[in-house]
Amino acid sequence: DAKTTQPTSMDCAEGRAANLPCNHSTISGNEYVYWYRQIHSQGPQYIIHGLKNNETNEMASLIITEDRKSSTLILPHATLRDTAVYYCIVRVDSAGNMLTFGGGTRLMVKP
Amino acid sequence: GAVVSQHPSRVICKSGTSVKIECRSLDFQATTMFWYRQFPKKSLMLMATSNEGSKATYEQGVEKDKFLINHASLTLSTLTVTSAHPEDSSFYICSARQVDSNQPQHFGDGTRLSIL
């Protein structure tokens, strides 16, 4: 699986958009970009995933660059409950494939 | 949406005890489940892949006789930490994905194991 690079930590003001970047310059054509987050002492929570096109759901938006070498997770209106570690993972979309977690980005949403 | 239930959420026991952790997929079937371990302020590390009806596949450095995995049905996998010692204290998390589906993996809420 392709390696990802994320900033170690970020701050965001409550109510503002949180933009979390991820570099995956070695991504292969059949690898998806997944985003999960982990709130303290809980299991990771799925947020969103995509292959080439930008994606949006009730939680977030995923913007993937045209060359697919980087992506940005956008939380449009961050709340204090969005404080968590956010993991960007790339892998082939197969039921048998596990997820390999890197260090993630620790997002702190401040009042 | 898909839900993975993990039980118990917290265990505190004496050294030498064996502890069983259950992972259930509540509204879908999963031929494959995954077990992770997470130490404080660290990321999740895959321990093993649990395959329904066959032996689990362990990652390098994980003792299969220490961490027994059983995946007896399409909705249940168990991890037994045998003869647990203080160094086994950790946060154990399972995940599963629906068979033949484009749904993503979903995770349980984890089990915090503390060995005294």
Side-chain angles (χ1 to χ4, degrees):
Chain A
D1 293 335
K3 181 180 177 181
T4 62
T5 304
Q6 299 177 252
T8 304
S9 64
M10 292 181 64
D11 290 344
C12 178
E14 188 180 17
R16 305 297 291 268
N19 298 295
L20 292 92
C22 179
N23 287 322
H24 30 80
S25 58
T26 60
I27 192 170
S28 301
N30 60 348
E31 287 184 310
Y32 284 70
V33 180
Y34 284 81
W35 282 84
Y36 283 78
R37 72 180 182 184
Q38 187 177 25
I39 296 170
H40 182 63
S41 294
Q42 296 182 23
Q45 176 189 23
Y46 166 78
I47 301 173
I48 199 167
H49 75 285
L51 182 63
K52 290 188 291 187
N53 299 323
N54 298 336
E55 302 287 344
T56 296
N57 62 21
E58 65 278 4
M59 289 183 69
S61 294
L62 173 60
I63 308 299
I64 302 174
T65 58
E66 193 168 339
D67 62 8
R68 303 210 321 124
K69 292 186 177 182
S70 66
S71 60
T72 301
L73 178 74
I74 301 172
L75 307 179
H77 305 287
T79 70
L80 299 179
R81 289 179 295 178
D82 292 323
T83 292
V85 178
Y86 287 76
Y87 296 99
C88 168
I89 301 165
V90 295
R91 70 163 177 80
V92 174
D93 188 37
S94 169
N97 281 6
M98 76 294 185
L99 296 169
T100 301
F101 287 81
T105 296
R106 186 172 297 277
L107 175 68
M108 179 74 72
V109 180
K110 298 184 175 180
Chain B
V3 177
V4 175
S5 174
Q6 197 171 331
H7 178 80
S9 59
R10 186 176 183 96
V11 180
I12 302 172
C13 57
K14 295 180 179 179
S15 183
T17 306
S18 291
V19 179
K20 180 185 284 189
I21 303 169
E22 293 186 349
C23 180
R24 294 181 185 273
S25 55
L26 294 186
D27 55 359
F28 65 98
Q29 295 183 328
T31 53
T32 304
M33 293 184 177
F34 304 96
W35 287 96
Y36 295 80
R37 181 167 55 184
Q38 185 176 33
F39 292 106
K41 298 186 185 295
K42 299 293 185 182
S43 190
L44 284 75
M45 295 295 295
L46 181 69
M47 298 175 64
T49 301
S50 172
N51 304 299
E52 187 266 336
S54 65
K55 292 183 179 180
T57 304
Y58 291 82
E59 295 300 300
Q60 189 174 5
V62 179
E63 300 175 56
K64 61 180 180 181
D65 295 329
K66 173 78 171 175
F67 299 99
L68 300 180
I69 291 174
N70 183 277
H71 194 152
S73 77
L74 286 172
T75 58
L76 173 64
S77 175
T78 61
L79 169 68
T80 301
V81 184
T82 61
S83 187
H85 293 285
E87 58 267 26
D88 298 322
S89 297
S90 189
F91 192 50
Y92 292 87
I93 309 169
C94 71
S95 73
R97 181 177 172 177
Q98 189 171 357
V99 174
D100 296 329
S101 166
N102 62 358
Q103 293 296 310
Q105 281 190 32
H106 291 274
F107 288 78
D109 274 337
T111 298
R112 185 156 307 279
L113 176 62
S114 300
I115 307 298
L116 305 177

